[in-house]
Amino acid sequence: MLDQYAEPLSGIDRYAVVGNPIAHSKSPLIHTEFAKQTHQNISYERVLAPLDGFEATIRDLMQQGFKGVNVTVPFKFEAYALCDYHTEQAKLAGAVNTIKFTEHGIWGNNTDGDGLIADITHNLNTLIEGKRVLLLGAGGAAEGVFQPLLVQKPAKLVVANRTLDKAENMVSKSLDKTSQVTACTFEDLKNQQFDIVINATSAGLSDMALPVPSSVFAKNCLAYDMMYGRETPFMQQARASGAQVADGLGMLVEQAAEAFNYWRGVRPETKSVMNIVSAL
Ligand code: ATR
């Protein structure tokens, strides 16, 4: 399935994003901008995989000579299982969002965590080291950023989730012994304050507010919603509580830049591409 950004001419290295749904993915635009900027001769397509046909889709793209693919919802765990080799980042996340086809087999990487960290530390100028960090959610999105956040050595990392045992399970896999890492429910957040609050739940998709007390936002807090393209109830609450608020657009572009670098060996500049995507 080709789209306006694809140029399937011979001599061009082909890439794609595979998901379901996929029609609204901004990845083709982002990677096409990266390619222009770095003078790389690539095409980038959207591919809709049937919910029960992810592996067949990937093997077909490999047969067609694609060089790599990005993987998005709901296939990141299946992608992990399908890969022959995994980078450290993929192993830490237990999920794959970037695949590279090589003559020796299929490599899986995960650039979501590095994308979030790059956005918070570089674009938003916020150091994570030594900070009190709250991660809301314990699903796939939270899992992808949990260990990379710990690598930054926050003073403490609290994972709060509606379903407590999922948060406890995630925290039990912590590889870091420097930070204090705990799991709790939203109710347990009373009387706790944080310098960085990250919403990795999918509640915003259905415009649902989270039962998080507004007192969690400490003075000068950064409130980050990994969702992009809409002002979620979480963002509204954080803004009303005086926090600095960011959505996940920067993470989207930064994770793409990491993927581009993994495939092409050159890391594109992201600021101008963030401006293009946010103006859409
Ligand atoms: P994703 O891949 O987007 O992370 P997921 O793995 O289904 O999707 O995880 C969704 C996360 O959002 C979970 O942490 C979920 O909480 P539960 O583990 O209790 O299900 C959370 N979530 C979704 N809707 C929510 C809501 N209305 N209130 C609170 N948490 C919600």
Side-chain angles (χ1 to χ4, degrees):
M1 179 188 304
L2 303 182
D3 62 30
Q4 60 178 315
Y5 300 107
E7 294 176 57
L9 304 173
S10 62
I12 290 182
D13 288 343
R14 296 175 76 183
Y15 296 88
V17 58
V18 180
N20 188 333
I22 202 64
H24 299 293
S25 171
K26 300 206 174 359
S27 293
L29 165 66
I30 294 169
H31 282 277
T32 301
E33 289 299 327
F34 287 164
K36 269 193 232 162
Q37 187 201 111
T38 59
H39 310 290
Q40 301 279 309
N41 198 18
I42 72 162
S43 68
Y44 194 105
E45 306 162 37
R46 289 185 185 90
V47 174
L48 178 73
L51 289 174
D52 61 353
F54 174 71
E55 176 159 3
T57 303
I58 294 297
R59 304 231 175 255
D60 180 50
L61 293 173
M62 191 165 66
Q63 284 293 315
Q64 289 186 51
F66 276 70
K67 298 287 181 193
V69 296
N70 283 131
V71 179
T72 188
V73 176
F75 299 123
K76 293 183 187 182
F77 296 109
E78 248 184 279
Y80 187 92
L82 179 148
C83 289
D84 303 310
Y85 308 101
H86 302 91
T87 63
E88 264 325 294
Q89 286 89 337
K91 286 181 198 161
L92 285 176
V96 158
N97 79 336
T98 305
I99 282 176
K100 181 155 70 179
F101 299 121
T102 76
E103 55 192 49
H104 308 296
I106 304 177
W107 270 89
N109 190 9
N110 194 308
T111 64
D112 287 332
D114 287 348
L116 174 70
I117 303 301
D119 195 33
I120 291 178
T121 57
H122 298 151
N123 302 333
L124 298 165
N125 262 323
T126 302
L127 201 66
I128 298 171
E129 186 175 356
K131 298 283 175 60
R132 298 164 294 178
V133 179
L134 171 60
L135 180 61
L136 301 170
E143 188 109 32
V145 301
F146 173 67
Q147 304 283 4
L149 280 168
L150 284 175
V151 170
Q152 298 297 307
K153 307 211 177 309
K156 70 169 177 177
L157 177 61
V158 174
V159 180
N161 196 44
R162 181 173 61 181
T163 313
L164 179 59
D165 56 352
K166 278 168 72 180
E168 283 173 336
N169 180 41
M170 196 156 97
V171 161
S172 72
K173 291 186 275 184
S174 164
L175 300 174
D176 184 278
K177 302 294 163 228
T178 319
S179 313
Q180 186 195 326
V181 187
T182 51
C184 68
T185 63
F186 295 129
E187 291 75 50
D188 297 331
L189 292 171
K190 277 183 224 133
N191 307 320
Q192 294 197 60
Q193 288 214 313
F194 298 90
D195 307 301
I196 302 173
V197 180
I198 300 165
N199 182 16
T201 74
S202 52
L205 270 180
S206 42
D207 276 329
M208 297 274 288
L210 295 168
V212 171
S214 291
S215 52
V216 296
F217 303 104
K219 194 162 184 282
N220 299 323
C221 177
L222 170 66
Y224 193 102
D225 201 314
M226 283 168 52
M227 203 151 280
Y228 66 90
R230 58 163 74 207
E231 174 91 356
T232 63
F234 166 79
M235 292 165 76
Q236 288 163 7
Q237 180 188 9
R239 213 181 290 286
S241 308
Q244 179 197 348
V245 175
D247 73 2
L249 181 99
M251 176 180 173
L252 174 77
V253 176
E254 294 293 347
Q255 65 77 27
E258 291 291 334
F260 193 90
N261 190 16
Y262 181 62
W263 291 325
R264 310 298 300 181
V266 50
R267 199 182 196 285
E269 178 275 319
T270 49
K271 204 78 198 182
S272 62
V273 181
M274 281 172 64
N275 290 338
I276 291 170
V277 178
S278 64
L280 290 177

